[in-house]
Amino acid sequence: LKKLRVKNPEGYAKFFENYGAILKEGVYYEADIKQDIAQVLEFDTLLGDKKITLDEYLEVLSPTLSQGEKEQATKDVKKTIYYITGKSRSEVLASPYMAQFVSNKVDVLLLTDVIDEWMIGVLDEYKDVKLKSITANDVKLKEETEEEKKKADTTQKQYKDMLELVKNTIGAEKIEKVELNANLGDALGALKTPDGAMNPQMEKMMKAMGQPVPETKRVLELNPSNKLVKAMQKEFKADVKSKKLKDLTQYAYMQAILLEGGELPNIADFVNMTNKFAGEYLK
């Protein structure tokens, strides 16, 4: 298969389109040779316009990078192979967690096949390079300066009480904690799965198979640079029982669910709240 891909790329592309899922099943079921099988897998990526292998991820960079950027990106990429799972390319590209990878020009594998959830659960490294979800707790593409650390600590202290109220408003049975994340681009917020817990895509798959699935508390991250988050803090300071603060909290939570491809218990509630905010905007 490695030879075929080199000698006949178009033929291999057709082969992989039909049998790629079976190869990925092999990674899951054949532990002894999963590294060998992983060599011939192909993936869509954030920066590329064609599928690449894991080896190409480690070696090939975007041609738009300058030499200096290319050298820095090489260091970043070789430390970790980053990926994101989801139902479709459009869904994963819409993830707020993509923002820092786009701005830093670091590539991400886009895992959107159903089998990818199972495969990535057993393929935690490739050629001694770790594979890591971009939603993991410890993803940092750049080291913070002392000034940036101080600013982040100050902001965290300012928002601490408001974040606790947000958690209680949504419900401690749904949310493990609420944090700030300044690496979400323009997004209001996002949901992530605590380390070691089952992610939403896997939960759906297990439920579809009729398997019992324990409820997983998620972590809600809010973007301190977003105008609505700043509005929430302003409302909190003015009145902790503010109806507007409660509405903004629920809106942030529901929006985060939709952004990761989740389903709301009642979509009408989200539509009504959106219309309410739109009505206020038109005044």
Side-chain angles (χ1 to χ4, degrees):
L1 291 176
K2 286 174 67 178
K3 291 177 181 178
L4 174 63
R5 189 174 186 274
V6 174
K7 293 180 178 179
N8 185 0
E10 291 184 2
Y12 188 80
K14 291 179 181 179
F15 164 79
F16 194 82
E17 183 178 349
N18 290 308
Y19 298 103
I22 296 176
L23 286 176
K24 291 177 179 179
E25 285 185 24
V27 173
Y28 182 81
Y29 288 109
E30 305 293 340
D32 292 343
I33 57 171
K34 66 180 180 181
Q35 290 288 318
D36 298 314
I37 300 173
Q39 291 184 66
V40 295
L41 299 181
E42 292 189 330
F43 303 93
D44 288 318
T45 69
L46 169 65
L47 299 182
D49 56 2
K50 64 178 183 178
K51 291 182 182 294
I52 66 171
T53 64
L54 294 177
D55 287 313
E56 288 171 335
Y57 178 98
L58 296 174
E59 296 172 1
V60 180
L61 299 166
S62 170
T64 61
L65 299 181
S66 67
Q67 185 58 37
E69 289 175 323
K70 199 173 281 191
E71 290 173 357
Q72 181 58 46
T74 300
K75 294 177 183 177
D76 291 333
V77 170
K78 285 189 175 179
K79 290 178 183 175
T80 309
I81 296 174
Y82 291 105
Y83 69 86
I84 183 172
T85 60
K87 293 184 294 186
S88 66
R89 182 183 180 91
S90 59
E91 178 188 299
V92 295
L93 290 178
S95 170
Y97 291 106
M98 278 291 189
Q100 65 170 322
F101 289 86
V102 173
S103 61
N104 286 287
K105 296 186 176 67
V106 175
D107 215 351
V108 179
L109 302 180
L110 310 180
L111 307 184
T112 57
D113 290 342
V114 175
I115 190 62
D116 286 339
E117 287 290 346
W118 300 94
M119 177 197 69
I120 206 66
V122 298
L123 189 66
D124 56 348
E125 65 177 37
Y126 176 73
K127 293 186 176 180
D128 297 323
V129 179
K130 291 291 183 182
L131 275 78
K132 183 187 289 289
S133 170
I134 68 171
T135 66
N137 286 323
D138 56 347
V139 172
K140 286 187 179 180
L141 300 182
K142 286 185 176 180
E143 288 296 324
E144 291 181 317
T145 64
E146 286 302 318
E147 184 177 345
E148 288 172 334
K149 288 179 181 179
K150 288 180 181 179
K151 183 179 179 181
D153 288 342
T154 300
T155 303
Q156 186 66 41
K157 290 176 182 177
Q158 292 173 342
Y159 278 78
K160 181 181 178 182
D161 293 337
M162 191 271 280
L163 296 179
E164 187 63 26
L165 180 63
V166 168
K167 174 186 172 182
N168 293 332
T169 300
I170 296 171
E173 74 282 359
K174 299 177 182 177
I175 294 292
E176 181 178 287
K177 57 183 174 180
V178 183
E179 301 175 331
L180 295 178
N181 186 340
N183 294 314
L184 298 178
D186 297 325
L188 167 57
L191 282 170
K192 70 179 180 182
T193 304
D195 290 341
M198 188 180 297
N199 64 36
Q201 288 78 22
M202 183 61 79
E203 283 185 2
K204 288 180 185 177
M205 290 173 59
M206 296 294 285
K207 288 178 180 178
M209 295 168 62
Q211 300 294 321
V213 180
E215 291 297 324
T216 300
K217 291 185 180 181
R218 311 297 301 289
V219 176
L220 174 63
E221 295 191 321
L222 297 177
N223 183 357
S225 299
N226 184 275
K227 290 182 179 180
L228 287 181
V229 177
K230 292 179 179 179
M232 291 168 68
Q233 175 70 348
K234 183 178 179 180
E235 284 296 312
F236 175 77
K237 288 183 177 180
D239 179 11
V240 295
K241 296 182 179 179
S242 165
K243 178 67 166 59
K244 184 183 289 187
L245 175 58
K246 184 177 180 180
D247 286 346
L248 285 169
T249 295
Q250 294 296 345
Y251 180 76
Y253 179 57
M254 288 189 286
Q255 188 182 100
I257 291 175
L258 292 175
L259 272 177
E260 68 171 11
E263 297 179 0
L264 297 176
N266 189 345
I267 190 66
D269 289 342
F270 182 76
V271 173
N272 290 336
M273 195 168 291
T274 302
N275 290 339
K276 180 179 179 180
F277 291 155
E280 291 294 323
Y281 178 79
L282 294 173
K283 287 182 180 179

